[in-house]
Amino acid sequence: MAGRGNFSSRLGFIAAAAGSAVGLGNIWKFPFEVGGGGGAAFVLIYLAFCFVLCYPVMVAEITIGRATHLNAAGAFSKLGFSRFRFIGILGVIAGIMILSFYNVVAGWALGYFIEMVMGNFAIGSQFGTFITNVFKVGAYGIVFMAATAFIVSRGVSQGIEKASKILMPTLIVIILSLTIYGLTLPNGSDGIAFYLVPDFSKITFEVVYNALGQAFFSLSLGMGALITYGSYLSREENIVTSAALITLADVGIAFLAGLMIFPFVFYQGLEPTGGAGLIFVTLPGVFESLGGAWGTIVGSLFFLLLSFAALTSTVSLLEVPVAYLVDEHKMKRGKAVWGMAGLIFLLGIPSLLANGYSEFFSSFITYFGAESSNSFMDLVEHISSDSFLPLGGFLIAVFVAYVWRKENWMAEIENGAPGFSETFLAKYLDFTLRYICPVILGAIFVLTVLSRFFGVNFFG
Ligand code: TRP
């Protein structure tokens, strides 16, 4: 469609979609979810969710987007099912909520980059103080949101695509090097054992739903981000192989991040259950141990690239509401971008204060039947990422399988993959979207809401 913009190449689309997927979710969140979820058992469940449940949903999202060349809500109307627009609207809301807290953490990463440049390795043990310095961290947040808005305002191929193509490979190289370094350290192998040898007694229902929320979050699924990106994809591209590459890249990098971090955690005698501070507390000491200039270089580079990984993700989060405003409300792109960015930054302020600065926001809510309170930031995350994303995935699977129907979505995929509908993969996707995704996602969504927010526990 003229005027809306397109990715200029297949690699560009994959780089941008993988750039959206790979972010703080992989390098910051995945390791601490693994740490809190008992290690290898969590990893296994996570991997199963990614390949069995999430991959089909990813194909479904991209296909909806490419078939309509419209934003997450408009796409449903264009297919002739306006009653299902609410799925896209839900996605727009989820995107706004996720970006509001995600930007706060991205600000931490950016701040750590500056600390590393200045050689302040002690910042690891001062993490708690660092995040309560809300004026400083807030300023980093403003810089980050502005950078995001700048890229989104430049549009798809000039902004999003160009940045992703260079940054992703560099990040992989540095993580690989750090992983190899970690393996040479004393006690490093204890970290690997924690990470890779499953202890099934650690699997609780909470571990299962955290793994599901994490899988959706990490793959950028369930809120129409990939409907939106798919809408800039040309008809010749092969959706199923693109989605496979995106999934593999994302899962691969999360897996590597775990392999990198746990040897460091055990080497320093820290607790893998360290929560949201895990990488921020652990890594500066590691960089210091590299010695002087090396430590400064590797440390700065690491947090710089982490910031960039976060940036290609925040870009995709902002793009969802922006595309919605541009397509559906005929707003000018520039106005939509800067207005949304400003609004989301403001909505993120309570999350910024929720990490120790404000008592009120830091222990904001105690769910029914829960023993301890959750911060405002936790609450936003639990609602948006752990609840809305699996719900969105459920709705998208049901929509594609039962409303849009097989012959139509298959036909759209066939545009770039002639003969696809005859393959085994096509039958597998049809089967999972019809039966597996709706049942499992629907059940886990309901059970998650009941157990997390209302203290109803079915599994002891
Ligand atoms: N996937 C990103 C990460 O792992 C976060 C993200 C970007 C996201 N866009 C999204 C999550 C859309 C859900 C939906 O850091």
Side-chain angles (χ1 to χ4, degrees):
M1 238 166 74
R4 267 185 101 249
N6 266 308
F7 288 108
S8 66
S9 68
R10 165 158 176 215
L11 186 64
F13 169 73
I14 293 177
S20 160
V22 175
L24 297 169
N26 306 59
I27 299 163
W28 161 71
K29 198 160 178 279
F30 178 71
F32 85 70
E33 294 278 355
V34 173
F42 179 95
V43 179
L44 272 183
I45 301 176
Y46 170 79
L47 291 176
F49 280 153
C50 286
F51 290 111
V52 179
L53 289 176
C54 294
Y55 173 71
V57 175
M58 183 182 288
V59 171
E61 276 203 34
I62 299 175
T63 309
I64 294 174
R66 218 240 336 238
T68 56
H69 291 299
L70 277 178
N71 65 91
F76 291 93
S77 309
K78 178 93 180 269
L79 292 173
F81 306 102
S82 299
R83 274 186 296 124
F84 290 86
R85 282 174 70 82
F86 78 94
I87 301 177
I89 310 257
L90 211 63
V92 170
I93 296 169
I96 291 173
M97 291 175 74
I98 292 176
L99 184 51
S100 78
F101 75 81
Y102 198 95
N103 189 66
V104 172
V105 182
W108 300 349
L110 187 60
Y112 261 58
F113 162 62
I114 308 286
E115 300 292 335
M116 289 296 117
V117 169
M118 298 189 308
N120 179 14
F121 298 113
I123 191 73
S125 54
Q126 298 155 4
F127 174 69
T129 326
F130 174 80
I131 57 176
T132 48
N133 191 342
V134 294
F135 294 100
K136 193 162 152 185
V137 185
Y140 288 128
I142 292 180
V143 172
F144 209 93
M145 189 62 91
T148 306
F150 177 73
I151 295 182
V152 176
S153 71
R154 295 191 31 132
V156 173
S157 68
Q158 286 308 303
I160 301 175
E161 182 175 334
K162 277 213 170 118
S164 309
K165 273 202 260 187
I166 316 168
L167 301 171
M168 293 273 303
T170 325
L171 180 69
I172 296 178
V173 171
I174 188 161
I175 294 183
L176 267 177
S177 318
L178 285 171
T179 305
I180 295 169
Y181 175 61
L183 291 175
T184 67
L185 295 171
N187 298 336
S189 55
D190 294 348
I192 298 295
F194 174 79
Y195 186 51
L196 295 182
V197 182
D199 170 359
F200 290 104
S201 68
K202 292 200 175 137
I203 299 184
T204 59
F205 183 61
E206 192 178 347
V207 170
V208 173
Y209 69 65
N210 279 335
L212 185 71
Q214 173 62 18
F216 269 79
F217 183 83
S218 185
L219 290 165
S220 300
L221 284 180
M223 53 152 275
L226 289 171
I227 296 181
T228 310
Y229 272 23
S231 77
Y232 305 117
L233 187 62
S234 88
R235 284 262 134 76
E236 290 87 65
E237 304 302 346
N238 185 328
I239 294 175
V240 271
T241 47
S242 300
L245 289 171
I246 297 162
T247 306
L248 284 172
D250 185 65
V251 171
I253 291 184
F255 189 75
L256 256 184
L259 220 46
M260 170 190 80
I261 198 77
F262 288 108
F264 292 147
V265 172
F266 281 75
Y267 165 63
Q268 298 181 49
L270 298 169
E271 285 300 319
T273 47
L278 192 62
I279 68 162
F280 292 102
V281 174
T282 309
L283 287 176
V286 172
F287 298 135
E288 185 170 27
S289 75
L290 292 174
W294 264 115
T296 308
I297 293 170
V298 178
S300 323
L301 206 60
F302 178 85
F303 283 107
L304 182 66
L305 290 168
L306 180 63
S307 304
F308 279 124
L311 188 60
T312 48
S313 300
T314 52
V315 158
S316 75
L317 285 162
L318 185 59
E319 178 64 28
V320 173
V322 165
Y324 170 75
L325 290 175
V326 170
D327 290 342
E328 304 298 305
H329 296 279
K330 306 289 169 256
M331 206 181 263
K332 285 244 162 46
R333 193 166 177 91
K335 200 170 140 193
V337 167
W338 291 99
M340 256 301 154
L343 173 74
I344 295 174
F345 179 80
L346 294 178
L347 293 173
I349 289 179
S351 292
L352 179 69
L353 306 179
N355 295 286
Y357 180 82
S358 147
E359 185 51 40
F360 176 71
F361 287 119
S362 302
S363 38
F364 187 69
I365 186 168
T366 304
Y367 304 138
F368 289 103
E371 279 152 28
S372 51
S373 65
N374 283 284
S375 72
F376 183 86
M377 183 157 145
D378 289 335
L379 174 67
V380 178
E381 194 207 317
H382 294 161
I383 296 177
S384 59
S385 159
D386 294 352
S387 310
F388 277 17
L389 297 182
L391 174 64
F394 165 80
L395 293 168
I396 288 164
V398 168
F399 173 81
V400 166
Y402 297 101
V403 182
W404 195 21
R405 292 180 179 279
K406 182 176 168 189
E407 50 293 1
N408 296 310
W409 64 263
M410 288 272 186
E412 179 57 38
I413 292 180
E414 286 243 354
N415 283 323
F420 171 72
S421 52
E422 299 305 317
T423 61
F424 171 75
L425 185 57
K427 298 191 174 58
Y428 172 78
L429 287 177
D430 180 43
F431 181 80
T432 40
L433 287 171
R434 233 186 251 261
Y435 305 110
I436 311 283
C437 296
V439 172
I440 299 192
L441 293 176
I444 297 186
F445 168 72
V446 173
L447 296 177
T448 301
V449 171
L450 289 176
S451 80
R452 169 161 269 161
F453 299 111
F454 299 99
V456 183
N457 277 313
F458 303 90
F459 303 94

